[in-house]
Amino acid sequence: MEDAHVTVKIKSNYYDYHPIPYCPQLLFPFHLLSGISLLSQLHTDLDKGDSAVKYTLSGEGAGTIFTIDQTTGDIHALRSLDREEKPYYTLRAQAVDIDTNHPLEPESEFVIKVQDINDNEPKFLEGPYTASVPEMSPVGTYVTKVTASDADDPTYGNSARVVYSILHGQPYFSVDPKTGVIRTALPNMDREVKELYQVLIQAKDMGGQLGGLAGTTTINITLSDVNDNPPRFAKSIFHFRVSESNNVGTIVGTIKAHDLDIGKNAEIDYSIIPGDGGAMFDITTNEHNQEGIIVLRQVRHKYTHTHMATIKITVMDEDEPPVFTKPSYTMDVYEDTPLGIIIGAVTAQDLDAGSSPVRYHSSQYKYLIQYKTTERTERGYVYENIL
């Protein structure tokens, strides 16, 4: 069972005010669940104790919340009072003749002020809260602020003096006990290790003392991403093949690097480092899947974080015809030259890797070409046809 208190203030030049016990201004305790509680007593000098005077009461709550003993002037509360419902009541009292009901003195006004007790816990009106802070933030970085309100009287005692503390969420975050400001308390918090933190904040009245009432709220804090991770290839060497007959712009192959960051921090630009054949190729980024597309011809790009991989490209041989050393040959022969006499020689080369022997033949039946192999060069000798 709890106690409540009221302060009674009397404004009168006619009545003697006799509180119980007697004091110019006193708090009157009464039980919240009690029946009729005596608050104070009104008395006039015209009351000689012969029951000729009757006291009346009017104003806020007269007859429903407050009543007066018509004979003694005692003021009673008929039910419990709640300061948060109504902090004060203005009433009027008067002494009248018990027989004629005529006023013996002018009406007097007085105020009953309900004094606060700690019967309301602090409440977070906006919770649960959500907040974010960049990963790797230094200790003391501002995250958010929480506020709890207490319906008790802030001008009386410590009933409405709220102190904040963390019940769950340490050692990562801290709260200012007076302001409710949440800050980081641990350095180098990495989003790639843990992204979401749930912090439980308590607000306790009575300045946080034992016996104070408390309320709690939850703050869901997300670590936002910063660009603190370079992209990395799954392997260090990629092997592709391209034909020497392919056109400029032909796709040679695709590679992909992975970045642990998210959003724009994970967008990757690829470039080819100048070197062995690097100037012959270009690499672009597929914006949909972040793959690097290698094509013939190079355009260099710059990017913030780099990680290198070796790309080995084998140019595949195509079967090409032999090439004569000269586009045309001129040979002289006498008209009576016997058959089978060497008139001249022609030479052709096969430039393909692992070339096959060169064979010669004449498109005119009158002449015959035979060949002789010398390393990669086969020389054809021209005869008059002996067949």
Side-chain angles (χ1 to χ4, degrees):
M1 183 168 296
E2 301 182 34
D3 287 338
H5 301 79
V6 296
T7 299
V8 180
K9 294 182 179 179
I10 303 295
K11 291 194 258 181
S12 174
N13 295 323
Y14 303 96
Y15 296 109
D16 293 329
Y17 168 50
H18 300 290
I20 303 176
Y22 179 81
C23 181
Q25 181 173 325
L26 189 67
L27 299 181
F28 294 91
F30 67 96
H31 294 300
L32 293 175
L33 301 179
S34 64
I36 299 176
S37 298
L38 177 62
L39 300 181
S40 64
Q41 183 185 58
L42 298 179
H43 184 73
T44 177
D45 291 339
L46 299 177
D47 187 355
K48 305 300 183 181
D50 54 4
S51 299
V53 178
K54 179 176 71 174
Y55 296 94
T56 63
L57 187 67
S58 62
E60 295 177 319
T64 56
I65 300 175
F66 305 102
T67 185
I68 190 170
D69 188 304
Q70 295 182 352
T71 303
T72 64
D74 294 339
I75 300 175
H76 299 270
L78 298 176
R79 64 174 177 84
S80 61
L81 304 179
D82 189 349
R83 189 203 67 85
E84 288 71 44
E85 180 181 335
K86 188 173 177 61
Y88 63 89
Y89 298 83
T90 302
L91 297 122
R92 294 175 298 279
Q94 192 170 37
V96 300
D97 186 280
I98 195 169
D99 295 323
T100 65
N101 250 7
H102 288 159
L104 299 176
E105 291 178 349
E107 191 174 58
S108 181
E109 183 180 275
F110 63 96
V111 175
I112 296 180
K113 181 180 179 181
V114 183
Q115 198 70 53
D116 187 44
I117 63 170
N118 188 27
D119 60 341
N120 292 277
E121 73 278 3
K123 292 182 179 180
F124 293 91
L125 302 182
E126 299 180 7
Y129 296 80
T130 58
S132 65
V133 64
E135 62 175 331
M136 300 298 175
S137 294
V139 172
T141 300
Y142 176 89
V143 179
T144 189
K145 180 180 180 180
V146 296
T147 302
S149 60
D150 195 308
D152 292 322
D153 188 355
T155 65
Y156 178 75
N158 292 324
S159 298
R161 189 161 74 88
V162 175
V163 172
Y164 300 94
S165 61
I166 287 186
L167 299 182
H168 178 73
Q170 294 175 322
Y172 307 103
F173 300 95
S174 65
V175 61
D176 188 293
K178 294 182 179 180
T179 64
V181 171
I182 311 297
R183 299 182 184 275
T184 58
L186 198 67
N188 302 323
M189 287 191 290
D190 192 349
R191 186 200 66 84
E192 288 74 37
V193 175
K194 185 176 181 179
E195 182 177 8
L196 180 63
Y197 294 82
Q198 193 171 76
V199 179
L200 184 63
I201 300 294
Q202 175 183 266
K204 191 174 183 180
D205 60 19
M206 297 299 292
Q209 298 176 6
L210 185 65
L213 303 179
T216 60
T217 191
T218 299
I219 310 173
N220 295 309
I221 302 176
T222 302
L223 296 184
S224 57
D225 187 56
V226 299
N227 191 22
D228 60 337
N229 290 279
R232 296 191 179 277
F233 291 100
K235 55 184 179 179
S236 59
I237 297 179
F238 295 83
H239 191 183
F240 301 108
R241 295 176 181 270
V242 61
S243 172
E244 63 180 345
S245 63
N246 287 139
N247 297 324
V248 171
T250 300
I251 296 177
V252 177
T254 61
I255 61 176
K256 187 171 184 178
H258 180 65
D259 194 316
L260 294 176
D261 295 320
I262 59 176
K264 287 192 172 295
N265 294 330
E267 294 180 0
I268 299 174
D269 287 332
Y270 297 89
S271 67
I272 295 178
I273 298 175
D276 185 17
M280 298 299 297
F281 303 95
D282 182 26
I283 186 168
T284 59
T285 302
N286 185 326
E287 295 181 356
H288 299 290
N289 57 17
Q290 296 296 300
E291 287 184 341
I293 304 172
I294 303 170
V295 296
L296 293 182
R297 302 289 296 274
Q298 176 202 10
V299 177
R300 296 186 63 186
H301 298 281
K302 295 181 179 180
Y303 54 93
T304 304
H305 296 290
T306 63
H307 187 244
M308 293 184 294
T310 301
I311 302 171
K312 182 179 180 181
I313 301 175
T314 302
V315 180
M316 299 176 63
D317 186 52
E318 294 285 338
D319 189 13
E320 297 176 314
V323 178
F324 283 97
T325 57
K326 296 192 298 184
S328 66
Y329 295 84
T330 301
M331 301 177 186
D332 296 326
V333 60
Y334 294 105
E335 60 181 348
D336 58 351
T337 299
L339 298 178
I341 297 299
I342 296 176
I343 298 174
V346 296
T347 303
Q349 291 181 321
D350 188 348
L351 300 179
D352 290 329
S355 57
S356 302
V358 179
R359 302 290 187 270
Y360 298 88
H361 72 277
S362 174
S363 60
Q364 297 186 14
Y365 179 73
K366 185 177 180 180
Y367 299 100
L368 174 67
I369 298 178
Q370 293 183 346
Y371 66 92
K372 179 179 180 182
T373 300
T374 333
E375 295 181 351
R376 292 185 58 190
T377 302
E378 287 81 13
R379 176 168 295 179
Y381 295 93
V382 182
Y383 300 82
E384 284 201 57
N385 198 344
I386 60 177
L387 296 178

